[in-house]
Amino acid sequence: MLALLMLQTAHAQRPAEISFQDRPVLPEGRMGERVQSLLETLNSGSPDRVRRFLSEDCDESFRKVAPVDRHIGVFLSVHRDTGGVDFHGVRSYTPERTGETVVIVKDRNYGSWRAAVLRFTGAPAFLIAGINFNDARTPSDVGEPLLSRVEAEHEIEALVNRLVEKRVLSGAVLVARGEKILLTKAAGEADKRFHVPNNVDTKFNLGSMNKMFTSTAIVRLVEQGKLSYEDRISKYMDESWLPREVTDKITIRHLLTHSSGLGSYFNAEYQQS
């Protein structure tokens, strides 16, 4: 895992106008019981607990949205990503958002704020009819002062150490401000079988992260007038890869938006190469 963190310590952004308030209490009655059950399920990491939650606290319409195994997969994924969550409050908005209850929690891995947006059936059961998990803005009753450079470095290093201890992070971290590198750190193992430790020079498989760099480079070339989004790719490649009748139909825009129709190249030939 390669983490690139960009840090701004000199100037605080002007805070957005607060249009919400957070109250550190669960809803009353059955709705509060459903929310408490949701939190316990998220923190359990247990497929059996998820099944019980779906059966006892959720409406049939929600259960039918996906197979049970997929529901379980989502809950276990949230548990892995967050390391569990701690309840902070229920958020209300101005103007009011009807038909949804927004529960604000703090995840235990990263210390970030998450929102569970819930829809309930009517009284008296108040079964859960919908759940969406989103990132959330900092609660209205929590202050987050701008950190100095040294404080920020200490916070980031503590975060990295915590993630390593929980076996969430294995990789290298680079923190920079402008051209100045503030912190480099490696953690975990590059090869768990042979216990080879990561270092700051370890090479990682970037996977699809290279698409961001490619897209940015293409935009720069377009700005410089060196190519056009509507150029056919036959202008830049011969028939050693694809026949001309195909490349004449595909534009650079198609490639950037994954709409060329080429399909997946992770086929048997690729696996054997």
Side-chain angles (χ1 to χ4, degrees):
M1 177 179 179
L2 176 65
L4 300 178
L5 305 179
M6 293 179 290
L7 180 66
Q8 178 177 344
T9 58
H11 302 286
Q13 292 182 341
R14 183 179 179 180
E17 181 180 352
I18 294 177
S19 57
F20 60 86
Q21 292 292 328
D22 298 294
R23 297 181 65 246
V25 292
L26 289 169
E28 296 181 353
R30 295 294 288 171
M31 289 178 64
E33 294 173 6
R34 304 295 186 201
V35 172
Q36 183 63 46
S37 181
L38 169 65
L39 298 175
E40 292 172 359
T41 302
L42 288 172
N43 289 334
S44 71
S46 165
D48 289 340
R49 183 65 178 86
V50 177
R51 289 189 184 92
R52 181 155 64 91
F53 171 76
L54 292 170
S55 174
E56 297 179 359
D57 296 291
C58 297
D59 186 63
E60 183 179 6
S61 62
F62 177 72
R63 293 196 295 268
K64 287 184 175 180
V65 167
V68 172
D69 287 347
R70 186 173 299 177
H71 280 297
I72 292 173
V74 170
F75 274 84
L76 297 185
S77 176
V78 172
H79 178 75
R80 286 193 302 270
D81 291 344
T82 63
V85 298
D86 295 310
F87 173 77
H88 180 81
V90 175
R91 179 163 293 179
S92 59
Y93 292 87
T94 303
E96 183 180 0
R97 298 184 182 181
T98 59
E100 66 180 32
T101 300
V102 181
V103 179
I104 303 301
V105 298
K106 190 172 189 178
D107 86 44
R108 296 172 183 172
N109 279 343
Y110 297 92
S112 57
W113 298 103
R114 307 290 184 99
V117 183
L118 309 178
R119 290 186 295 104
F120 291 92
T121 62
F126 289 112
L127 292 167
I128 293 176
I131 308 173
N132 285 313
F133 297 108
N134 304 312
D135 293 332
R137 292 171 63 183
T138 302
S140 57
D141 55 345
V142 174
E144 290 192 338
L146 190 66
L147 300 177
S148 69
R149 180 179 64 82
V150 174
E151 290 171 332
E153 289 179 22
H154 289 164
E155 286 282 333
I156 294 169
E157 189 162 13
L159 170 62
V160 171
N161 290 336
R162 183 167 71 248
L163 296 179
V164 171
E165 289 174 3
K166 294 187 175 186
R167 304 177 70 87
V168 174
L169 171 65
S170 178
V173 176
L174 167 68
V175 182
R177 180 186 175 200
E179 299 295 325
K180 184 177 181 180
I181 295 176
L182 304 179
L183 173 69
T184 58
K185 185 178 180 66
E189 296 177 331
D191 190 312
K192 292 186 178 299
R193 180 182 179 186
F194 297 103
H195 301 292
V196 178
N198 282 316
N199 60 59
V200 294
D201 296 317
T202 298
K203 293 180 174 61
F204 296 90
N205 184 348
L206 290 179
S208 289
M209 286 181 64
N210 54 25
K211 294 172 184 174
M212 295 183 289
F213 298 102
T214 301
S215 298
T216 301
I218 293 295
V219 170
R220 293 293 300 274
L221 291 173
V222 170
E223 290 175 343
Q224 295 168 12
K226 295 181 178 179
L227 55 78
S228 166
Y229 294 125
E230 308 310 322
D231 283 347
R232 307 289 170 172
I233 63 174
S234 56
K235 182 177 179 180
Y236 302 99
M237 60 179 56
D238 57 30
E239 295 188 77
S240 62
W241 181 52
L242 288 172
R244 184 67 177 259
E245 62 187 37
V246 174
T247 57
D248 273 344
K249 298 176 182 178
I250 300 173
T251 65
I252 290 177
R253 185 185 299 277
H254 287 143
L255 296 179
L256 290 174
T257 57
H258 296 192
S259 56
S260 67
L262 287 175
S264 174
Y265 55 81
F266 292 107
N267 50 30
E269 183 180 355
Y270 172 86
Q271 299 297 338
Q272 294 171 5
S273 63

